[in-house]
Amino acid sequence: MDKRGGICSGGSGSSGETEVRKGPWTMEEDLILINYIANHGDGVWNTLAKSAGLKRTGKSCRLRWLNYLRPDVRRGNITPEEQLIIMELHAKWGNRWSKIAKHLPGRTDNEIKNFWRTRIQKYIKQTDVAATATSSVGSQSSEINDHAASTSAHNVFCAQDQAMDTYSPTTTSYQHTNMEFNYGNYSAPVAPVTTAATTADYPVPMTVDDQTGENYWGMDDIWSSMHLLNGN
DNA sequence: AATGACATCAACCGCCTAAAT
DNA sequence: CATTTAGGCGGTTGATGTCAT
């Protein structure tokens, strides 16, 4: 049941040393991956994973890099403009998240997908319920994930977008660590904004947990470590 | 203060496709 | 041409944080 944080014997399992780590990435793993890619570039992920000494699958490394560690990943709240683009492109293409993501620089397909599922789809559902309450048309499906639904939702959603209480540019509910940086021109990451942002604008960055030693760090921690490693 | 419900997001899984052999 | 392998994509899950009671 626990698909995270474990070590699984991989594939054949005959050797016993092809164990594969799963679950959340540790700071050390992130550092290794960032450092390796900074020096060797990305691609050929299986080889990369092995060469870097990571007990991860190539897929896992790729995902981690593309969705989280990549320098140009934009984190933080989706802007109203981005919402609009997502709505429009989804109406056009449906759940082609990677395709949609290409039109939103710095956004990942995973992020857009999550945004859609958690925010927009929920909102569509609400408006759908309201619509069916007032008309007898009836919803074709409670699983609202098709073009028509998003198209119809588009108008409603955009019209009421600014008033949508689940989204606010000033009171972001994203739990990401905001970061803006480049390899060559690193600027200090913005402090992470949590769902508690309404009461605490910028909580202290995550740090390594005393007990587990895992998964409680901010990108600034990672990057300061990187700078230590690289001696700058 | 405890706890249950809900929301969010990172990460895994399975499938598909393209490239390599 | 058939098979294998790797990468990419979309769907789904589970951990965790927040809010409401």
Side-chain angles (χ1 to χ4, degrees):
Chain A
M1 62 176 290
D2 189 2
K3 62 189 214 175
R4 308 225 172 130
I7 302 258
C8 304
S9 59
S12 59
S14 56
S15 69
E17 62 128 2
T18 55
E19 52 188 25
V20 177
R21 251 192 72 85
K22 288 186 180 181
W25 280 63
T26 64
M27 184 179 177
E28 287 75 18
E29 288 176 312
D30 281 344
L31 281 170
I32 291 169
L33 185 58
I34 291 171
N35 212 19
Y36 189 90
I37 291 177
N39 291 324
H40 301 90
D42 63 1
V44 200
W45 293 102
N46 281 332
T47 312
L48 186 153
K50 278 180 197 155
S51 304
L54 289 163
K55 292 184 171 65
R56 296 274 181 175
T57 63
K59 272 189 175 187
S60 184
C61 292
R62 174 185 164 272
L63 204 68
R64 183 63 176 171
W65 174 253
L66 291 180
N67 286 342
Y68 200 83
L69 299 175
R70 213 165 29 122
D72 58 336
V73 167
R74 236 178 106 197
R75 308 200 74 82
N77 51 300
I78 303 276
T79 67
E81 290 77 22
E82 286 172 322
Q83 283 182 32
L84 198 67
I85 294 171
I86 292 171
M87 300 294 294
E88 284 174 353
L89 295 184
H90 187 272
K92 210 152 95 181
W93 295 325
N95 297 356
R96 306 300 305 273
W97 306 117
S98 61
K99 201 171 176 180
I100 294 172
K102 287 190 176 91
H103 288 74
L104 293 160
R107 300 294 185 188
T108 68
D109 56 348
N110 210 30
E111 190 176 10
I112 293 170
K113 180 170 57 182
N114 280 333
F115 175 76
W116 181 268
R117 290 188 62 82
T118 59
R119 311 296 189 82
I120 299 182
Q121 208 170 69
K122 185 185 76 180
Y123 190 78
I124 291 171
K125 226 169 213 168
Q126 287 173 355
T127 56
D128 190 53
V129 168
T132 51
T134 52
S135 79
S136 59
V137 174
S139 61
Q140 316 87 312
S141 157
S142 58
E143 295 291 325
I144 299 149
N145 55 4
D146 61 2
H147 304 193
S150 63
T151 309
S152 63
H154 183 144
N155 300 327
V156 183
F157 187 83
C158 291
Q160 302 182 10
D161 171 59
Q162 302 306 327
M164 188 179 167
D165 60 357
T166 51
Y167 169 79
S168 164
T170 52
T171 59
T172 176
S173 57
Y174 273 73
Q175 202 179 347
H176 292 146
T177 299
N178 291 337
M179 53 184 186
E180 289 179 23
F181 54 84
N182 297 300
Y183 276 126
N185 185 21
Y186 172 66
S187 60
V190 179
V193 180
T194 72
T195 48
T198 48
T199 52
D201 289 336
Y202 294 101
V204 293
M206 287 182 182
T207 50
V208 177
D209 185 275
D210 289 340
Q211 293 175 337
T212 67
E214 289 188 349
N215 303 325
Y216 293 91
W217 65 90
M219 284 304 291
D220 51 348
D221 291 331
I222 290 177
W223 281 96
S224 27
S225 302
M226 275 293 291
H227 283 264
L228 283 174
L229 272 174
N230 294 330
N232 54 352

